[in-house]
Amino acid sequence: MSKKKDVVSKETMLVADWQALMRIFIRPDTEATRSILVKYMGQILFGLHDFLKNHVGFTEEISLKDLSGRFTDTLINKDPEKKLADVITDLIEDIAPYGVNTASPYFVGHMTSAIPFFMVHLKTIVAALNQNVVKLETSKVASIVEKQVLAKIHRLIYQKDDAFYNEHVQNTDSTLGCFVEDGTLSNITALWVARNVLLAPKEGFEGIEQQGLHAAYRAYGMERSVILVSRLGHYSFRKAGGLLGIGNHNIIAVDLDENNRICIDSLNKTIKEIKQDSGKTGIIAIVGIAGTTETGTVDPLYKLGEICAENGIYFHVDAAWGGPTMMSEKYKHLLKGIELADSVTVDGHKQFYMPMSCGMIYFKDPSIMDNVIYYANYINRPSSVDLGMKSLPGSREATSLILDSALKIMGSNGYALLIDHGIETARKFAEMIKQRPDFELTTPPELNILTYRMCPADIRKKLSAADSEEKRNINKRLNEINRRLQIMQRESGKSFVSRTTLRIKKFPGEEIVVLRCVIMNPMTDMNILGKILDEQEGIYKNNFE
Ligand SMILES: *Cc1c(COP(=O)(O)O)cnc(C)c1O
C-alpha cells in the first residue's frame, strides 16, 4: 500500500497510501488543518449560495445528449485524481450549473423548491454525527428525539390530550409514527399495516405477514383485496399494490366529482358492489388525498372518515403534500377530517422545506404498527427504542434532528406564513390567468397548485361553437401546442412550469394537456408569474400563430 515517500511527491502527487488515509480519518487538531476545513465549508455555503443567487434561470441550455456525452468514463481510477478542494470546485462550477436551480423563483413546476439556508447546516450536522437510528446502540438520543418530534406532528394531526402524549411520547411499546425515506415509502408502510389488519391472524391462520396472500385469502374465503383511491391518487399506491402482492389492478381508481375530489356517490356505489359479492373481495383501505399531486385538491376527508367508520374500513390519508397546511390557522380547516384517519402520510421534503429526502407516516392507534414488527437478535430487541423494528427501511439517518430543529427555528407560525403565501399567490395567479385572453384556467387552486393551458381567445371562440367531434379535434391541436410550449419553455431554461394530462368537466371523456404550477417558493411573486405567462405568450406567437 505504501509508496516511495519523498517530500516533493507527497506535496504534488496524489497517492492512495496509509498516511493519506489516516489524514482523512483523524479529526483535524491543528489550527492549519482546521482552517482548511472551515475554508471548504465556506466554499460550499457561499460558492453554492452565490451560484444559486446569480443563476437567474433554472438550468443551462444544453441538450441531454451533449451532457451525457461528457459522462462516459466507466473506469475507477486506481490512484486518487483530485483533492477535496478541487472536487468541491468541480461540483460548484461544472455540475451545479447543469443541474436544476430548484431555488429559482421561476421554477414553479414541481414540489421541489428553495429551502431555508439553515437546512444546509442542519443536514451537515446529521452527516457529521452519522447516527443510525435503526437501533438505539448507534443512535441513543437521536432515537429519543425522533419519538418526540413524531409526537409533535402526531399532535398536530390528531389533537389528543396531554395524558395521551405523556403516555406515548417516549413509550417503547408505542409507535405514533415512523420516519422513512419519502412519501412513497410512507404510503407503502400505511398500506402494509392496513393489509395486515384486514388479513390478521385468527384461529387456524397465523396472519398474512407469516403465511402469505394465498393462505390469507383461503382463510378469509376471499379471492382478492382492493384499495380505493380517487383517480388522482399518487402512483405510489400502484407500487404498493404490486409490492403487497394484491396486484396493482386492485388499486381501484374512483371517479372524481366536478371539483377533482373523490366522488362520494361513486365511492359508495363501489363499496356496495363489493359488499354484494359475498365477501370474495376485501377492502384493505380507502385513501383520501390531502393535496393531490396534479391539482392540489383535497378530498372530503371528514365524509370519507365517516364512510370508513360506518363500514369498518381502514382509512388512510395521503397528506404528503398538504399536511403542513395544518399549521396555518387560516387554512387548516381545508384538512378537516384528517384526524379521523387511521394513518397519515406527510413529506418533510415538501412543505416542511427540508432537504431531500424525508417521509413520515403517522398512526392514530399507537400499537397498530405491531402488525409489521420485526425483531433481530443482534439489533432490534423487543420493547427497546430500536426504531428499525417497525420501519420499512433498515439503516437510516437521523432526519428527525433536522425537522425538530427546523420546527424550533420556524415555529408553526413561520411555516404558516409560507403556506398562506403559497395559497394566496396561487389564487391571485388564477385571477391573472383568467384575465389574460390567451389562457384558460383548467383547475382552480384549492391549496397552492393550479393548472391552466394556452387557449387563445380565437380558438376558444371556435371551441365553444364547435360540435363534439370538432371539439375533440381542436383539443387535440391544443394538447399538441401546450405540450410543445412547455418543452420549449423548459429548454430555454429561464422558467419552468410542469405539464400533465387531466380529464376536466368541460370536456367529458377527453384527455386535456395542461400546464401545472406549484407555488411554494416565498420569492415567487405576481411579477414573476406574470413574466412566466409573458414568455409563454411569446413562445405561442413565435411558433404557433
Ligand atoms: C409527492 C407525493 C407522494 C410521493 O412522495 P415522494 O416523496 O415523491 O415519494 C405521494 N403522494 C402525494 C399526494 C404526493 O404529492
Side-chain angles (χ1 to χ4, degrees):
M1 200 174 274
S2 71
K3 276 196 169 178
K4 186 171 56 122
K5 277 178 238 128
D6 61 60
V7 178
V8 179
S9 75
K10 216 161 82 188
E11 288 298 317
T12 55
M13 265 179 49
L14 293 168
V15 287
D17 65 9
W18 191 253
Q19 255 184 326
L21 197 65
M22 281 299 108
R23 276 204 303 277
I24 57 173
F25 272 89
I26 294 170
R27 309 264 152 169
D29 47 11
T30 68
E31 268 311 309
T33 48
R34 273 168 187 267
S35 71
I36 287 172
L37 286 191
V38 170
K39 197 180 87 191
Y40 292 157
M41 284 314 274
Q43 199 181 352
I44 294 171
L45 275 172
F46 298 111
L48 212 49
H49 181 262
D50 290 347
F51 159 72
L52 291 175
K53 210 171 97 192
N54 297 332
H55 202 69
V56 183
F58 74 90
T59 191
E60 287 291 322
E61 197 172 355
I62 180 171
S63 78
L64 272 186
K65 196 160 163 274
D66 288 346
L67 203 52
S68 49
R70 297 186 196 173
F71 295 90
T72 54
D73 189 358
T74 54
L75 265 184
I76 299 173
N77 243 51
K78 282 209 189 312
D79 289 315
E81 291 171 76
K82 290 190 170 172
K83 291 183 173 180
L84 175 61
D86 301 327
V87 169
I88 293 173
T89 304
D90 285 357
L91 288 170
I92 293 175
E93 290 174 9
D94 299 338
I95 299 291
Y98 302 103
V100 171
N101 182 2
T102 56
S104 163
Y106 289 83
F107 186 78
V108 292
H110 282 308
M111 295 170 154
T112 307
S113 163
I115 52 175
F117 65 81
F118 65 74
M119 293 293 185
V120 180
H121 296 77
L122 297 175
K123 185 90 185 173
T124 308
I125 293 175
V126 170
L129 287 173
N130 196 31
Q131 304 294 290
N132 182 352
V133 289
V134 69
K135 55 186 182 290
L136 196 66
E137 289 169 354
T138 47
S139 63
K140 204 164 171 180
V141 75
S143 296
I144 291 170
V145 171
E146 176 161 326
K147 283 186 80 81
Q148 176 185 270
V149 72
L150 285 167
K152 285 182 187 176
I153 306 294
H154 188 281
R155 190 166 193 155
L156 190 66
I157 300 169
Y158 292 106
Q159 310 277 338
K160 304 271 190 197
D161 58 15
D162 283 340
F164 177 89
Y165 291 105
N166 289 339
E167 179 187 347
H168 294 292
V169 59
Q170 291 300 342
N171 188 330
T172 52
D173 293 323
S174 304
T175 317
L176 298 177
C178 180
F179 277 79
V180 287
E181 262 55 46
D182 62 3
T184 296
L185 287 189
S186 311
N187 283 337
I188 290 171
T189 302
L191 297 175
W192 182 23
V193 169
R195 183 198 70 170
N196 290 7
V197 168
L198 181 76
L199 301 169
K202 62 176 189 174
E203 181 140 5
F205 174 59
E206 286 178 62
I208 180 164
E209 191 70 22
Q210 288 69 25
Q211 287 190 256
L213 203 55
H214 185 69
Y217 284 170
R218 211 172 35 205
Y220 280 88
M222 282 180 198
E223 286 174 4
R224 64 168 190 160
S225 51
V226 298
I227 289 161
L228 308 179
V229 59
S230 100
R231 253 197 305 108
L232 290 175
H234 190 265
Y235 69 102
S236 52
F237 293 113
R238 285 190 288 125
K239 288 186 189 170
L243 273 169
L244 296 176
I246 68 167
N248 62 29
H249 286 330
N250 289 313
I251 308 301
I252 309 282
V254 180
D255 268 338
L256 303 172
D257 68 11
E258 61 274 19
N259 296 314
N260 289 299
R261 304 184 184 121
I262 191 168
C263 173
I264 294 295
D265 287 344
S266 303
L267 178 67
N268 280 328
K269 197 165 144 255
T270 307
I271 296 172
K272 204 165 142 208
E273 280 165 10
I274 288 172
K275 287 200 158 165
Q276 278 163 356
D277 75 356
S278 45
K280 290 204 188 90
T281 301
I283 302 179
I284 290 180
I286 291 176
V287 177
I289 312 165
T292 62
T293 315
E294 285 167 288
T295 61
T297 37
V298 182
D299 284 335
L301 302 179
Y302 200 87
K303 186 74 202 158
L304 290 178
E306 285 180 338
I307 292 173
C308 287
E310 275 163 30
N311 293 281
I313 298 169
Y314 186 101
F315 180 30
H316 174 63
V317 170
D318 182 359
W321 178 252
T325 311
M326 290 179 293
M327 289 182 291
S328 162
E329 292 299 328
K330 243 165 141 178
Y331 296 110
K332 66 180 181 193
H333 65 274
L334 295 174
L335 267 52
K336 190 170 173 295
I338 195 170
E339 69 282 358
L340 301 176
D342 291 294
S343 51
V344 177
T345 285
V346 184
D347 260 346
H349 57 256
K350 291 183 180 168
Q351 297 205 81
F352 276 110
Y353 293 80
M354 288 168 66
M356 290 292 139
S357 66
C358 166
M360 295 168 275
I361 178 73
Y362 292 92
F363 293 95
K364 182 159 69 185
D365 171 359
S367 59
I368 204 168
M369 273 201 107
D370 290 352
N371 284 290
V372 292
I373 203 161
Y374 277 84
Y375 301 121
N377 286 333
Y378 75 102
I379 166 170
N380 286 321
R381 306 194 179 96
S383 280
S384 69
V385 197
D386 295 341
L387 298 172
M389 263 185 318
K390 298 175 199 168
S391 69
L392 188 50
S395 296
R396 53 192 175 82
E397 62 179 348
T399 320
S400 61
L401 299 181
I402 300 178
L403 180 57
D404 198 48
S405 309
L407 289 171
K408 286 177 186 156
I409 295 172
M410 299 284 287
S412 62
N413 284 343
Y415 275 115
L417 287 172
L418 291 168
I419 299 286
D420 295 355
H421 170 269
I423 293 176
E424 284 156 18
T425 306
R427 287 179 184 181
K428 283 188 228 153
F429 187 38
E431 287 311 310
M432 182 191 264
I433 289 167
K434 282 191 208 160
Q435 271 153 29
R436 294 225 188 181
D438 283 347
F439 295 100
E440 175 178 45
L441 188 70
T442 43
T443 60
E446 186 174 358
L447 300 178
N448 46 3
I449 298 173
L450 61 77
T451 68
Y452 64 102
R453 65 172 177 167
M454 171 64 71
C455 182
D458 53 326
I459 299 186
R460 204 172 326 164
K461 222 171 176 182
K462 275 189 217 150
L463 201 53
S464 63
D467 64 24
S468 57
E469 172 77 28
E470 283 166 338
K471 267 195 179 119
R472 248 194 305 278
N473 286 331
I474 296 172
N475 277 330
K476 252 195 204 144
R477 165 97 182 112
L478 281 171
N479 282 353
E480 185 56 18
I481 289 173
N482 279 278
R483 198 182 65 80
R484 286 175 52 201
L485 181 142
Q486 190 265 348
I487 294 171
M488 286 178 189
Q489 188 173 36
R490 180 186 72 203
E491 294 199 336
S492 80
K494 284 195 285 292
S495 41
F496 175 76
V497 304
S498 59
R499 164 171 53 95
T500 188
T501 303
L502 292 177
R503 290 188 213 165
I504 55 178
K505 190 179 64 170
K506 231 163 123 182
F507 306 109
E510 290 191 54
E511 304 270 329
I512 305 293
V513 172
V514 298
L515 306 173
R516 167 176 168 267
C517 266
V518 182
I519 315 287
M520 67 181 297
N521 188 330
M523 312 298 272
T524 300
D525 58 19
M526 295 312 295
N527 177 32
I528 286 174
L529 292 168
K531 285 195 202 149
I532 293 177
L533 293 184
D534 292 345
E535 190 187 14
Q536 291 171 345
E537 283 173 349
I539 294 174
Y540 178 77
K541 297 228 152 65
N542 292 334
N543 297 279
F544 301 103
E545 212 170 55

